[in-house]
Amino acid sequence: MTLLLRHSLELARQGFAEFLPDGEAERDARLLMCHALGISSAQFFARLDDTWPTGSPSKWFIEACDARKSRQPLSQIIGEADFYGRRFYVTTDVLTPRPDTETLIDQALTMRFDRILDLGTGPGTIALTLLAERPGTSALATDISQAALDVAARNADRLGLSAQMVLTLSNWFDQVTGEFDLIVSNPPYVDAATYAALQPEVRDWEPIIALTPGGDGLAAYRTLADQAARHLTPGGRLIVEIGHDQGESVTKLFQDGGFVDVTLHKDLAGNDRVVVAFNT
């Protein structure tokens, strides 16, 4: 390929602009090109008038652009996503970590804990972040998907935390024993109607079992309200991510389940995002 990088970037931007705002289209094109070349954004701007190097970078870039035009998420194409200052492996078998979930981490870190149970761990983002932030702690992380657990295992190894986390195939509490100081979960919570209207990047590429339980989206919270207390130490906490319009419903479910001091917390965009509840 003899095109200058600048020209390839513009062609990619034009293709992405068919479904993205112009600023996002340019960003995605730039990030894919940086990944293809193995360079940082700072290095990228000094290379715009270079031609493609010999080898496979240009081929990967073309294939990556085609994948993005099919609405595959950027994180899946690159195979990585950043969360709470760390980088995690991402595949089509797991949800891409989202900044909204950092609100859950912030709430968890307000108090001491030693043992964590992460239900529906996906790529292991929540459990591994908490382990990294609190050295000396341990976690049991479960998921109904073995493929998701395999991704979590890769991330644990990447962060040097494999010895602190046990991964278990389980449908919620089915294979869980013992008590924990902290139970965390970002469960499937998108209701059926909302799921049908999601952007293609989410609806068509991320695993449905991690996104929606169908119906009103509250099935997981009903399970947590009914069973979490028996796996929490006295005074232990249950912290969950919720949809922006589910705060009142989840709060009531946890209160009716016997939890106390149930509080609702907003994300950086000002949306209800996390519910914290204490065991008696």
Side-chain angles (χ1 to χ4, degrees), residues 190-200 202-203:
V190 180
D191 64 81
T194 301
Y195 178 78
L198 289 174
Q199 291 184 331
V202 178
R203 187 190 64 239

Side-chain angles (χ1 to χ4, degrees), residues 209-230:
I209 60 171
L211 287 166
T212 178
D216 64 2
L218 298 173
Y221 304 113
R222 295 188 179 98
T223 299
L224 291 165
D226 180 58
Q227 300 182 38
R230 71 190 69 165

Side-chain angles (χ1 to χ4, degrees), residues 8-33 60-74 77 201:
S8 295
L9 180 74
E10 177 57 19
L11 289 172
R13 186 201 64 76
Q14 290 176 7
F16 299 162
E18 295 178 6
F19 58 91
L20 289 174
D22 194 59
E24 293 181 24
E26 192 280 333
R27 178 205 63 191
D28 282 12
R30 173 170 46 83
L31 290 174
L32 288 176
M33 187 171 284
W60 186 93
F61 182 70
I62 292 170
E63 293 173 350
C65 287
D66 288 342
R68 188 68 187 96
K69 289 174 187 176
S70 74
R71 307 298 293 270
Q72 186 172 13
L74 187 73
I77 299 169
E201 283 86 345

